Short mmCIF file of all heavy atoms in Angstrom, two decimals:
data_model
loop_
_atom_site.label_atom_id
_atom_site.label_comp_id
_atom_site.label_asym_id
_atom_site.label_seq_id
_atom_site.Cartn_x
_atom_site.Cartn_y
_atom_site.Cartn_z
N THR A 697 3.56 10.81 0.00
CA THR A 697 3.87 11.90 -0.95
C THR A 697 3.03 11.72 -2.21
O THR A 697 3.47 12.03 -3.32
CB THR A 697 5.36 11.90 -1.32
OG1 THR A 697 5.73 10.59 -1.79
CG2 THR A 697 6.21 12.26 -0.13
N ARG A 698 1.81 11.22 -2.06
CA ARG A 698 0.95 10.95 -3.21
C ARG A 698 0.27 12.22 -3.74
O ARG A 698 -0.57 12.15 -4.62
CB ARG A 698 -0.09 9.89 -2.85
CG ARG A 698 0.54 8.50 -2.68
CD ARG A 698 -0.39 7.52 -2.02
NE ARG A 698 -1.59 7.30 -2.81
CZ ARG A 698 -2.72 6.82 -2.31
NH1 ARG A 698 -2.82 6.54 -1.02
NH2 ARG A 698 -3.77 6.64 -3.09
N LEU A 699 0.65 13.39 -3.20
CA LEU A 699 0.26 14.64 -3.86
C LEU A 699 0.98 14.78 -5.18
O LEU A 699 0.57 15.55 -6.04
CB LEU A 699 0.59 15.83 -2.95
CG LEU A 699 -0.23 15.97 -1.67
CD1 LEU A 699 0.35 17.08 -0.82
CD2 LEU A 699 -1.69 16.23 -1.97
N PHE A 700 2.09 14.00 -5.32
CA PHE A 700 2.87 14.02 -6.55
C PHE A 700 2.61 12.74 -7.35
O PHE A 700 2.28 11.70 -6.78
CB PHE A 700 4.37 14.10 -6.22
CG PHE A 700 4.74 15.34 -5.46
CD1 PHE A 700 4.88 15.31 -4.09
CD2 PHE A 700 4.95 16.53 -6.13
CE1 PHE A 700 5.21 16.45 -3.38
CE2 PHE A 700 5.30 17.67 -5.44
CZ PHE A 700 5.42 17.64 -4.07
N ARG A 701 2.80 12.84 -8.66
CA ARG A 701 2.60 11.68 -9.53
C ARG A 701 3.56 10.56 -9.14
O ARG A 701 4.76 10.78 -8.96
CB ARG A 701 2.81 12.08 -10.99
CG ARG A 701 2.52 10.96 -11.97
CD ARG A 701 2.69 11.42 -13.41
NE ARG A 701 1.69 12.44 -13.73
CZ ARG A 701 1.98 13.58 -14.34
NH1 ARG A 701 3.21 13.86 -14.67
NH2 ARG A 701 1.03 14.45 -14.60
N GLU A 702 3.02 9.35 -8.95
CA GLU A 702 3.76 8.15 -8.58
C GLU A 702 4.49 8.30 -7.25
O GLU A 702 5.47 7.60 -6.97
CB GLU A 702 4.75 7.74 -9.69
CG GLU A 702 4.06 7.36 -10.99
CD GLU A 702 5.02 6.95 -12.08
OE1 GLU A 702 6.21 6.68 -11.78
OE2 GLU A 702 4.59 6.89 -13.25
N GLY A 703 4.04 9.22 -6.42
CA GLY A 703 4.66 9.41 -5.11
C GLY A 703 4.39 8.24 -4.17
O GLY A 703 3.36 7.57 -4.27
N ARG A 704 5.31 7.99 -3.26
CA ARG A 704 5.14 6.92 -2.28
C ARG A 704 5.21 7.50 -0.86
O ARG A 704 4.21 7.93 -0.32
CB ARG A 704 6.16 5.81 -2.50
CG ARG A 704 5.91 5.08 -3.83
CD ARG A 704 6.51 3.70 -3.90
NE ARG A 704 6.08 2.82 -2.84
CZ ARG A 704 6.22 1.51 -2.86
NH1 ARG A 704 6.80 0.92 -3.91
NH2 ARG A 704 5.82 0.75 -1.87
N THR A 705 6.41 7.51 -0.26
CA THR A 705 6.50 8.00 1.12
C THR A 705 7.70 8.92 1.28
O THR A 705 8.60 8.95 0.48
CB THR A 705 6.65 6.84 2.11
OG1 THR A 705 7.85 6.11 1.81
CG2 THR A 705 5.45 5.91 2.06
N GLU A 706 7.68 9.66 2.37
CA GLU A 706 8.82 10.45 2.83
C GLU A 706 8.91 10.26 4.34
O GLU A 706 7.93 9.88 4.99
CB GLU A 706 8.63 11.92 2.45
CG GLU A 706 9.70 12.89 2.95
CD GLU A 706 11.11 12.54 2.50
OE1 GLU A 706 11.71 11.66 3.15
OE2 GLU A 706 11.60 13.14 1.54
N THR A 707 10.07 10.54 4.90
CA THR A 707 10.29 10.39 6.33
C THR A 707 10.06 11.71 7.05
O THR A 707 10.59 12.75 6.64
CB THR A 707 11.72 9.91 6.61
OG1 THR A 707 11.95 8.70 5.89
CG2 THR A 707 11.93 9.67 8.09
N VAL A 708 9.27 11.64 8.11
CA VAL A 708 9.18 12.76 9.04
C VAL A 708 10.09 12.43 10.22
O VAL A 708 9.88 11.43 10.91
CB VAL A 708 7.73 12.96 9.54
CG1 VAL A 708 7.67 14.13 10.51
CG2 VAL A 708 6.79 13.18 8.38
N ARG A 709 11.11 13.24 10.43
CA ARG A 709 12.03 13.02 11.56
C ARG A 709 11.40 13.64 12.80
O ARG A 709 11.63 14.81 13.12
CB ARG A 709 13.40 13.61 11.24
CG ARG A 709 14.12 12.87 10.11
CD ARG A 709 15.47 13.47 9.79
NE ARG A 709 16.22 12.56 8.93
CZ ARG A 709 17.44 12.10 9.22
NH1 ARG A 709 18.05 12.47 10.33
NH2 ARG A 709 18.05 11.28 8.38
N SER A 710 10.61 12.82 13.51
CA SER A 710 9.74 13.34 14.57
C SER A 710 10.50 13.85 15.78
O SER A 710 10.00 14.69 16.53
CB SER A 710 8.77 12.24 15.02
OG SER A 710 8.00 11.80 13.93
N CYS A 711 11.70 13.30 16.01
CA CYS A 711 12.48 13.75 17.16
C CYS A 711 13.16 15.07 16.81
O CYS A 711 14.13 15.11 16.05
CB CYS A 711 13.50 12.69 17.55
SG CYS A 711 14.40 13.10 19.06
N SER A 712 12.64 16.17 17.35
CA SER A 712 13.13 17.51 17.02
C SER A 712 13.66 18.20 18.27
O SER A 712 13.51 17.70 19.40
CB SER A 712 12.00 18.34 16.42
OG SER A 712 10.95 18.49 17.37
N ASN A 713 14.29 19.34 18.07
CA ASN A 713 14.75 20.13 19.22
C ASN A 713 13.59 20.48 20.14
O ASN A 713 13.72 20.45 21.37
CB ASN A 713 15.42 21.43 18.72
CG ASN A 713 16.73 21.17 18.01
OD1 ASN A 713 17.61 20.51 18.54
ND2 ASN A 713 16.87 21.68 16.80
N GLU A 714 12.44 20.79 19.53
CA GLU A 714 11.27 21.19 20.32
C GLU A 714 10.70 20.02 21.12
O GLU A 714 10.32 20.19 22.29
CB GLU A 714 10.21 21.77 19.39
CG GLU A 714 10.54 23.12 18.80
CD GLU A 714 11.52 23.07 17.64
OE1 GLU A 714 11.92 21.95 17.24
OE2 GLU A 714 11.87 24.14 17.12
N SER A 715 10.62 18.84 20.50
CA SER A 715 10.07 17.69 21.23
C SER A 715 10.99 17.29 22.38
O SER A 715 10.52 16.93 23.47
CB SER A 715 9.85 16.51 20.28
OG SER A 715 11.09 16.00 19.80
#
Side-chain angles (χ1 to χ4, degrees):
T697 54
R698 290 167 62 201
L699 291 172
F700 299 97
R701 184 178 295 133
E702 296 181 15
R704 293 201 57 164
T705 61
E706 176 57 279
T707 304
V708 180
R709 292 179 167 235
S710 301
C711 185
S712 62
N713 291 307
E714 289 79 2
S715 67

